[in-house]
Amino acid sequence: MSFKELGLSENILKAINECGYTEPTPIQAQAIPHVLMTRDLVGLAQTGTGKTAGFTLPMIEILAGGRAKARMPRSLILEPTRELAAQVAENFDTYGKYTNLSKALLTGGTSLDEQIKKLDRGVDVLIATPGRLLDLFDRGRILLNDIKILVIDEADRMLDMGFIPDIEKIVSRLPPMRQTLLFSATMPPEIKVLTKKFLSNPREVSVAPPASTADTVEQFMVWTDHRKKYDVLGDIIRKEKVQNAFIFCNRKKDIAGLASWLNKKGFDAHPLHGDMVQSARTRTLEEFKEGKITLLVCSDVAARGLDIKGLSHVFNFDVPMNPDDYVHRIGRTGRAGMAGRAWMLATKDETKYVDAIEKRIKKPVPVATLAGEKEREREPKLKFQEDRKPPRHEQKFEKKIDAPQRSERKPDREDDGEGVVGFGSEMPSFFGKK
Ligand code: AMP
């Protein structure tokens, strides 16, 4: 299947060619024909699958065939975060460079005046976060009466972020006769309800979630405790050949502290979270993309869907409470067939989240043991009764007392006696003696 066979015209094919894409990704091959036929569509796909081009390419095709630079915008793309909106806007510029279409990026944290000026000149495509769009609408600066295509992207994340009431408000201001596309990585009941309400007889397309495609990501986990987490992370980063990495924290308030600790230890780390002013967020992200920053300490929301090519590592400083977040996080690395490595630090009280992750990815996360941890844990091990099944985190260290090692773990959590996976013949000192 080629892009040409999908029914895209020359000026779009030329732009795609310049991107170096040789063939459509599965989500593009499935979605583009439906969108071109102006059908409503539900796409079950995450970032990294090429879904953005899956809707932007046919939208450009449809809009370029109509009246360009109309007074009122003809399409609206809703994104949960500013960064994602900016990324989609970049996609529009790239794929639409041989068309005459104009767009406005409407997100918080940037000048309202600039956005209003742009709107007053007339645009074809609005790419917006819900809050800013409603703000402009309520100020009477935007008319949505001519919207013919609506895209609700990352719907499940919109739900997590509490945007559904805003989305409902926005949709109630749109003409009922329109084409609606909804993309979501998962389909929780609330999103199902939304699709029933907002879409009419939609076609459904889906691609395998990264849980089944993350074969290019080598995963590791270390059991530790709260007091030692900083040092353990520092040790791992030192031992790994980290080119560039995301370090995920569960709590926004931990991000700045961890970034500053890492800097004190000589690492090049910067924070990225929603409470930073937009200019700082954009600058940090640009510098990270350009390779000027090595480590980005971030929250799920800030990093959601960011398309950073060739990320070598992902570190989970905390175990994500939602197993889907684990899949999203580690999906930031190992993209497009490139090898990536994902590490996770887990504490005793996070055992249930680890279990949920392993259930979600349908395999155990291989466990690494640190020498210091082993020594500290030796004592409680002796207290186990023969017939008493120790808690999970203790089972792990118990298996490792004599020969700390990690490798592919069997589902019954017995070690298979192989060496430390991922370090080749070189055993880092923090794994203890072989
Ligand atoms: P997305 O899932 O939309 O965030 O896209 C992930 C990455 O895939 C982006 O860097 C795109 O530039 C890239 N991409 C999209 N479509 C293709 C394609 N057909 N061939 C190769 N790369 C693609």
Side-chain angles (χ1 to χ4, degrees), residues 3 16 19-28 46-55 57 84 87 91 95 154 305-309 332 335-336:
F3 279 107
I16 295 173
C19 293
Y21 303 166
T22 48
E23 57 178 17
T25 64
I27 191 76
Q28 291 163 3
Q46 328 219 349
T47 39
T49 55
K51 79 170 155 69
T52 317
F55 61 82
L57 292 172
L84 270 174
Q87 214 162 270
N91 274 244
Y95 305 137
E154 305 267 342
L306 293 180
D307 181 33
I308 310 278
K309 293 199 169 62
R332 318 307 310 143
R335 294 190 129 195

Side-chain angles (χ1 to χ4, degrees), residues 130-155:
R132 178 55 65 99
L133 185 84
L134 281 173
D135 188 4
L136 283 158
F137 187 87
D138 292 343
R139 287 165 192 257
R141 304 313 305 228
I142 201 165
L143 283 170
L144 300 172
N145 308 15
D146 205 27
I147 296 289
K148 303 214 164 39
I149 310 175
L150 166 70
V151 180
I152 303 171
D153 195 19
E154 305 267 342

Side-chain angles (χ1 to χ4, degrees), residues 2-147:
S2 68
F3 279 107
K4 195 169 182 166
E5 285 169 289
L6 290 177
L8 298 169
S9 52
E10 273 313 315
N11 51 9
I12 299 177
L13 293 174
K14 197 166 151 198
I16 295 173
N17 197 32
E18 284 173 16
C19 293
Y21 303 166
T22 48
E23 57 178 17
T25 64
I27 191 76
Q28 291 163 3
Q30 293 180 64
I32 291 172
H34 290 311
V35 183
L36 287 177
M37 289 168 101
T38 66
R39 284 183 180 137
D40 281 7
L41 181 87
V42 174
L44 261 172
Q46 328 219 349
T47 39
T49 55
K51 79 170 155 69
T52 317
F55 61 82
T56 46
L57 292 172
M59 278 176 82
I60 294 169
E61 181 76 40
I62 294 170
L63 295 169
R67 193 163 43 104
K69 294 216 169 64
R71 273 292 301 146
M72 288 195 283
R74 292 177 290 150
S75 59
L76 169 63
I77 301 173
L78 293 172
E79 294 288 336
T81 67
R82 299 162 184 181
E83 281 79 9
L84 270 174
Q87 214 162 270
V88 171
E90 266 174 42
N91 274 244
F92 250 96
D93 288 341
T94 308
Y95 305 137
K97 73 192 267 198
Y98 297 110
T99 64
N100 242 346
L101 298 172
S102 62
K103 57 146 211 325
L105 178 61
L106 310 176
T107 58
T110 44
S111 157
L112 204 62
D113 286 346
E114 285 298 313
Q115 292 173 3
I116 290 171
K117 267 189 220 151
K118 184 120 205 216
L119 288 170
D120 287 347
R121 286 199 292 271
V123 293
D124 302 295
V125 185
L126 300 176
I127 303 159
T129 46
R132 178 55 65 99
L133 185 84
L134 281 173
D135 188 4
L136 283 158
F137 187 87
D138 292 343
R139 287 165 192 257
R141 304 313 305 228
I142 201 165
L143 283 170
L144 300 172
N145 308 15
D146 205 27
I147 296 289

Side-chain angles (χ1 to χ4, degrees), residues 346-359:
T347 58
K348 194 161 108 181
D349 43 346
E350 291 172 316
T351 307
K352 62 177 182 294
Y353 304 129
V354 173
D355 287 342
I357 286 167
E358 296 186 334
K359 205 169 149 206

